[in-house]
Amino acid sequence: MPTKRILYIEDNFQNRRLVKKILNAEGYEVLEAEDGLKGIAMVARELPDLVLMDINMGGMDGMEATAHLKASDLRYIPIIALTANAMKGDKERIMASGCDEYMQKPISRSVLVETVLRFIGPGDKAARASAE
Ligand code: MN
């Protein structure tokens, strides 16, 4: 079975590094894009199993990128929003843009791993170990 691939669209390098480290350790392959436009192009090109979507990004933000993807043929790919927004109504607005799930920053390792598992099943730890 091929390794499951997750695309993380996020403008913050530290967050990308942290999430990649956590998910690589679980046996998922992690692709990265640093803004919404590059992200939606990469979704179309790479057809990842799952998208993790930062909301606050310069240029095209996460809600706009999500709405774009969910209006396309690629709407079947699950999108999980990651955001530090905690204002009343933010979660509702984010879910209304088409995200399938919502996760609060700072990123919790256990919540991240459990949520990814719920959507696409386990990664391939054996493949990861042999690749190192
Ligand atoms: Mn951001």
Side-chain angles (χ1 to χ4, degrees):
M1 199 168 66
T3 304
K4 288 168 186 162
R5 292 150 75 242
I6 297 169
L7 170 62
Y8 187 19
I9 305 173
E10 162 71 75
D11 59 356
N12 182 284
F13 170 75
Q14 306 278 11
N15 286 339
R16 292 207 305 273
R17 191 169 61 177
L18 171 66
V19 163
K20 186 178 168 71
K21 190 175 161 195
I22 292 169
L23 294 177
N24 280 167
E26 297 296 321
Y28 300 103
E29 185 180 332
V30 179
L31 309 170
E32 299 171 51
E34 65 200 23
D35 65 46
L37 260 185
K38 286 180 184 164
I40 60 175
M42 199 178 274
V43 174
R45 193 166 67 239
E46 302 288 344
L47 303 177
D49 297 290
L50 176 86
V51 173
L52 296 174
M53 183 76 81
D54 180 32
I55 295 301
N56 297 312
M57 295 186 284
M60 181 184 285
D61 74 14
M63 283 188 279
E64 196 179 344
T66 296
H68 189 95
L69 289 167
K70 291 300 184 181
S72 78
D73 291 346
L74 304 173
R75 69 176 64 86
Y76 66 90
I77 299 174
I79 301 177
I80 301 173
L82 277 86
T83 182
N85 290 356
M87 305 273 288
K88 194 167 162 53
D90 280 345
K91 180 176 181 180
E92 288 71 19
R93 284 193 310 126
I94 290 164
M95 295 303 286
S97 75
C99 291
D100 298 279
E101 187 53 279
Y102 168 97
M103 219 182 292
Q104 188 85 45
K105 286 178 182 174
I107 294 154
S108 150
R109 183 195 172 92
S110 59
V111 171
L112 174 63
V113 171
E114 282 164 21
T115 306
V116 167
L117 182 68
R118 179 153 50 85
F119 277 90
I120 62 171
D124 186 352
K125 289 188 188 180
R128 178 65 190 167
S130 66
E132 277 170 354

